[in-house]
Amino acid sequence: MHQAPAPPKAVRRQHDREIVSLAVPAFGALVAEPLFLLADSAIVGHLGTPQLAGLAIASTLLSTAVSVFVFLAYATTAAVARRVGAGDLPSAIRQGVDGIWLALLLGAGVVALTLPTAPWLVELFGASDTATPYAITYLRISILGIPAMLVVLAATGVLRGLQDTRTPLYVAIAGFAANGALNVGLVYGAGLGIAGSAWGTVIAQFGMAAAYLFVVVRGARRHGASLRPDAAGIRACAQAGAPLLVRTLSLRAVLMIATAVAARLGDADVAAHQIILSLWSLMAFALDAIAIAGQAIIGRYLGADDAEGARQVCRRMVQWGVLSGVVLGLLLIVTRPLFIPLFTSDPAVQDTLLPALLVVALSQPVSGVVFVLDGVLMGAGDGPYLAWAMLLTLAVFAPVALLIPTLGGGLTALWGAMTLMMTVRLVTLWLRARSGRWIVTGASR
């Protein structure tokens, strides 16, 4: 990062207040997806190990289908925040509306492509014969909720850019509560098994999308922003998000490779991997809450032509990222006897889980800095660099991970490879942050 004298304590306190006021509510909204998955894992895990292994495969595919379009949230946050900093609220909201229309189009396309190819996708992961039917069932049902999930991403980006992270928090709380109740009722009450878990999540996601649309439409009418689809605006949103799409596809490829390797290690390993991946995702979103605050704040500073303010916020967020990573790692170690029995009672899965969890816990400070800097560069609209950096990371990780089964490594070795992946990301992002080349001011980059 740009080396400058540390800001006075009063300025640091101001940044802390801004970060906390946005990050704390953002955390609640960010963890909605992993909490949905944690609830599904806990409920499905008690149906049996094959069911949990099937959920591991299907949920990875589903998360990939949704997360490749995370630019709908992140790019929209940055673009809207810049226009807020420049004082143009109608243009800011219009930018978000274009993103929502793009989300609907992309969601329909994903459903059309995934429904007929579900069995082939599950087979691609090398799932066992016992896990495969459960994976196909969960995937075919849950894929129907993708349009709603993408609308949630885009609308969340609009509100974050407007410096509002409280509304997404309220929607997330309601969605998580509905998801949990529906899952329990449909899986056990209605006896639908893993299909009930999928239907519960789909219903909850559509409810969340409806709530977000209500808020965005009300804001658009208040500020005179058009709600009609605009081909040029939708195309511009897609073009702006293309580098972030490459970045996210590379990251999802890492996670898919990790799950595919775990699947080839056996049902106990992939079931344990599913639990760790759920927890890792939860902690990643917790760390990303700071980055979300940074996206909104940095976008606003850059839109208002305040480069030094953006630098100071970046430095402060890195400090928050390190501290948060240390705290999360300690919590994971201390609370593991409490949460492991919630997910599985299978001794083989528990024994496989413990050493890999320790690796994950020790890597959290690195993750803290990575997620913060990732968010900073997204907030600055530095998508092309993020794309190239993640492609490099994938090139390092893939051969290491794929060699693990051949060399006789287990789940702990796989999560050691994941730690290597995060370390490569740390180096690439830190070098960019230090260079200062990400700082471009104005209402648009």
Side-chain angles (χ1 to χ4, degrees):
M1 281 174 297
H2 175 79
Q3 296 297 309
K9 288 184 178 180
V11 176
R12 285 201 300 269
R13 284 196 297 268
Q14 176 188 345
H15 291 323
D16 288 346
R17 284 194 298 269
E18 282 188 308
I19 292 169
V20 170
S21 67
L22 290 171
V24 171
F27 171 75
L30 281 169
V31 300
E33 181 184 341
L35 280 177
F36 276 30
L37 187 53
L38 280 170
D40 290 355
S41 299
I43 293 168
V44 171
H46 289 285
L47 293 174
T49 298
Q51 287 91 334
L52 185 58
L55 175 65
I57 303 298
S59 62
T60 299
L61 287 165
L62 181 67
S63 297
T64 299
V66 175
S67 296
V68 293
F69 302 116
V70 74
F71 70 84
L72 291 167
Y74 292 151
T76 302
T77 297
V80 171
R82 277 183 179 267
R83 286 161 175 77
V84 168
D88 189 355
L89 281 176
S91 176
I93 295 174
R94 178 66 235 187
Q95 179 88 18
V97 170
D98 289 336
I100 291 173
W101 280 110
L102 177 61
L104 287 169
L105 292 173
L106 292 172
V110 172
V111 171
L113 287 173
T114 310
L115 274 177
T117 59
W120 177 79
L121 290 170
V122 170
E123 183 182 353
L124 187 65
F125 270 76
S128 68
D129 291 340
T130 54
T132 293
Y134 297 112
I136 294 173
T137 296
Y138 190 91
L139 181 60
R140 276 186 163 159
I141 297 170
S142 59
I143 208 75
L144 299 175
I146 279 189
M149 296 178 192
L150 298 192
V151 167
V152 166
L153 284 176
T156 300
V158 179
L159 297 179
R160 289 175 187 163
L162 293 171
Q163 318 292 297
D164 174 12
T165 56
R166 291 184 180 275
T167 299
L169 170 62
Y170 301 145
V171 176
I173 291 173
F176 175 67
N179 179 71
L182 287 165
N183 269 256
V184 172
L186 294 174
V187 171
Y188 297 113
L192 296 179
I194 196 170
S197 177
W199 279 118
T201 301
V202 168
I203 295 168
Q205 289 287 353
F206 271 99
M208 292 175 66
Y212 275 118
L213 288 175
F214 173 80
V215 174
V216 172
V217 168
R218 185 179 60 183
R221 288 175 174 169
R222 182 184 304 128
H223 293 285
S226 173
L227 293 169
R228 294 182 178 180
D230 176 66
I234 294 171
R235 187 166 52 250
C237 285
Q239 291 171 347
L244 289 182
L245 177 61
V246 173
R247 170 258 179 204
T248 305
L249 281 171
S250 302
L251 178 57
R252 296 309 305 183
V254 165
L255 299 179
M256 291 178 73
I257 289 170
T259 299
V261 170
R264 283 161 175 78
L265 297 175
D267 278 2
D269 290 87
V270 75
H273 176 74
Q274 165 64 17
I275 295 170
I276 295 175
L277 191 60
S278 298
L279 292 164
W280 186 79
S281 298
L282 176 61
M283 292 186 293
F285 277 107
L287 295 170
D288 211 24
I290 303 168
I292 292 301
Q295 286 182 38
I297 297 168
I298 283 176
R300 194 184 73 230
Y301 275 120
L302 294 178
D305 296 322
D306 188 350
E308 183 55 33
R311 290 191 184 96
Q312 291 176 358
V313 171
C314 178
R315 283 195 295 270
R316 194 58 175 166
M317 283 189 301
V318 168
Q319 295 167 2
W320 275 82
V322 173
L323 178 61
S324 299
V326 170
V327 170
L328 287 172
L330 290 173
L331 281 174
L332 191 64
I333 292 173
V334 171
T335 61
R336 68 186 188 280
L338 300 177
F339 62 75
I340 289 177
L342 294 176
F343 293 106
T344 180
S345 55
D346 188 332
V349 177
Q350 292 183 355
D351 291 343
T352 305
L353 191 63
L354 282 170
L357 270 178
L358 293 177
V359 173
V360 174
L362 292 173
S363 69
Q364 285 310 294
V366 171
S367 297
V369 178
V370 167
F371 282 98
V372 164
L373 290 179
D374 205 37
V376 166
L377 298 184
M378 284 184 190
D382 202 15
Y385 181 84
L386 290 172
W388 284 111
M390 198 61 226
L391 284 171
L392 172 63
T393 302
L394 174 61
V396 173
F397 170 79
V400 174
L402 292 172
L403 280 173
I404 288 173
T406 304
L407 299 177
L411 191 65
T412 303
L414 176 58
W415 278 94
M418 291 288 285
T419 301
L420 170 65
M421 178 270 296
M422 294 301 290
T423 303
V424 175
R425 292 186 70 193
L426 173 65
V427 172
T428 57
L429 297 176
W430 182 259
L431 289 174
R432 184 64 167 184
R434 284 180 62 87
S435 74
R437 294 176 183 172
W438 53 277
I439 299 175
V440 178
T441 58
S444 60
R445 184 179 174 91

